[in-house]
Amino acid sequence: LGPVGARADVRIGVPRTDPQQVELTSDPTTGTIYAVVRWPTSFTLNRSTDKGATWTETHVSSGATSDVDVTFFNGSVYVAAIGGSNEREAVLFRFDASGIADGWVRFVQSSDFIGGETIEDVAVSSNTDGDDSILAFAFIEEDGRLRVHLVDAASPDTLTELSPAIATVQDGATGLDIDFDATTTVLYLSYLSDSDVVHVAAWSGLLWTDTAPFPGYSGADDRTRISADAGRQAVVFAHPFVEGNGAYLLTRDFAISSSWGIGRELRPTPTGPYTSFDVSVEGNRGWALAYAEDSAAYDAILMGVKSGYGSGVWPFSTVVNFQDHQIGTTFALEFLEDACSGGYGLAYVTDGLELY
């Protein structure tokens, strides 16, 4: 996606079918884009050096996994995954800038590894858009515990568990996402509790704060998405309305207020309910929201960007996918300042179960 509209869709990587999940990241120095894709029996890492026009598959894992994430940090690509043959472990892989595994991999066992406790969700993020000094690797355990490990640029081979832990988080369930605010070095995590409450936890380097910006909802989607930049945060999550499944986008700007507000409410239209969401506040371009619409005629991914961060009416959302989207699958929205001249990248699954 360019800064003003959609470009032709391109298939990502070696032709395969039935992608389960896709996540995007980029190198802010060179503009190289990376996509990690989860398949039924493996995950792959794909690389594009020409703004997404062509892709090269650089790595195929040797086993299946139930969750993946990716970020660029300190000149390398890091992929987080749940252990394939052993879901009691969270795994962090490192690849060089060409997408080739460099041999560095770290396994973190669940707190009750012997008792068979599994890892439910993983996420990884870095402040590469800032001073590129720190990476965070987070996961939710079966007992609801949320744990975070860090990699410091000064000791890139060392993975250290963050202390103090998020003491208030003992009921994490699923939907984990994380993002650094590169300008403030604050780490934000969004997740769902066992009671279907959306939480946002923030770590400033010393203390954790945990809030429940929208308690008491029960949604069909088990996913939250969060984005942070320049003292602003946005989190989007599913919510059932009388008309069907929809979503809330919550936003806040610390320059104005520390309170969360409803940035946008997506109530289903007669065309169909909304499914799958992603959000970005990066690049000082405004609130950006992408969401899928379930329609009998054409399953579309729509995107709206509200210029600036003040209050006001959102502009009309635009359909950005050229291929029919497979409803029920996730997609990834990423701000790609250097790769796309201040635009966005969006990877999604077609109804032919191909990745574009």
Side-chain angles (χ1 to χ4, degrees):
L1 307 176
V4 295
R7 298 175 180 173
D9 296 357
V10 176
R11 189 166 183 175
I12 296 177
V14 173
R16 302 173 185 270
T17 57
D18 201 15
Q20 310 287 301
Q21 180 187 0
V22 57
E23 303 293 344
L24 295 173
T25 192
S26 66
D27 178 350
T29 302
T30 65
T32 301
I33 309 171
Y34 303 89
V36 63
V37 189
R38 181 167 61 87
W39 307 91
T41 60
S42 66
F43 76 78
T44 61
L45 182 63
N46 302 268
R47 176 175 179 262
S48 174
T49 59
D50 54 9
K51 302 181 180 181
T54 59
W55 291 84
T56 301
E57 184 177 278
T58 64
H59 178 82
V60 183
S61 72
S62 58
T65 180
S66 57
D67 193 26
V68 293
D69 201 4
V70 64
T71 194
F72 191 87
F73 170 64
N74 197 30
S76 299
V77 183
Y78 288 77
V79 173
I82 295 175
S85 60
N86 188 352
E87 294 195 341
R88 294 173 293 167
E89 292 179 329
V91 190
L92 187 62
F93 301 88
R94 187 172 69 195
F95 302 82
D96 63 25
S98 64
I100 305 301
D102 70 359
W104 186 93
V105 60
R106 295 293 183 268
F107 299 86
V108 182
Q109 296 181 344
S110 65
S111 299
D112 188 11
F113 181 84
I114 301 300
E117 182 178 69
T118 59
I119 306 298
E120 301 297 305
D121 241 329
V122 295
V124 65
S125 183
S126 70
N127 69 338
T128 188
D129 291 329
D131 62 7
D132 202 23
S133 62
I134 194 166
L135 172 147
F137 171 43
F139 54 89
I140 295 176
E141 299 184 345
E142 187 179 9
D143 70 351
R145 196 172 321 190
L146 204 164
R147 297 169 61 190
V148 180
H149 289 69
L150 302 178
V151 176
D152 191 289
S155 303
D157 291 336
T158 303
L159 184 67
T160 304
E161 184 154 13
L162 179 61
S163 180
I166 310 178
T168 58
V169 180
Q170 297 296 331
D171 66 342
T174 187
L176 178 66
D177 195 25
I178 64 177
D179 194 26
F180 270 101
D181 185 332
T183 61
T184 64
T185 66
V186 176
L187 174 66
Y188 292 92
L189 302 87
S190 62
Y191 64 96
L192 297 174
S193 71
D194 284 329
S195 53
D196 286 336
V197 175
V198 177
H199 288 259
V200 174
W203 177 69
S204 61
L206 296 174
L207 299 172
W208 281 101
T209 57
D210 186 15
T211 63
F214 196 85
Y217 99 99
S218 179
D221 199 333
D222 63 354
R223 198 169 184 234
T224 70
R225 297 295 265 182
I226 193 166
S227 181
D229 189 41
R232 307 179 185 97
Q233 303 88 48
V235 60
V236 62
F237 56 91
H239 183 78
F241 294 94
V242 175
E243 307 94 320
N245 291 331
Y248 277 112
L249 170 67
L250 302 185
T251 62
R252 65 178 175 181
D253 185 343
F254 272 106
I256 300 173
S257 171
S258 61
S259 299
W260 290 92
I262 297 178
R264 193 166 182 197
E265 179 182 277
L266 290 176
R267 282 187 172 271
T269 68
T271 306
Y274 295 123
T275 65
S276 300
F277 316 93
D278 209 344
V279 65
S280 173
V281 301
E282 298 176 14
N284 202 33
R285 293 189 57 82
W287 309 111
L289 174 67
Y291 52 96
E293 182 180 71
D294 189 355
S295 172
Y298 182 79
D299 294 328
I301 299 174
L302 298 98
M303 183 173 174
V305 179
K306 184 180 179 299
S307 297
Y309 297 95
S311 60
V313 178
W314 273 71
F316 181 76
S317 296
T318 303
V319 175
V320 294
N321 57 316
F322 288 88
Q323 305 285 333
D324 199 5
H325 173 55
Q326 178 65 31
I327 290 296
T329 59
T330 61
F331 58 82
L333 174 70
E334 187 78 11
F335 179 70
L336 303 171
E337 182 172 13
D338 294 280
C340 292
S341 303
Y344 299 87
L346 191 146
Y348 67 97
V349 180
T350 70
D351 63 352
L353 299 181
E354 299 171 341
L355 186 66
Y356 277 78

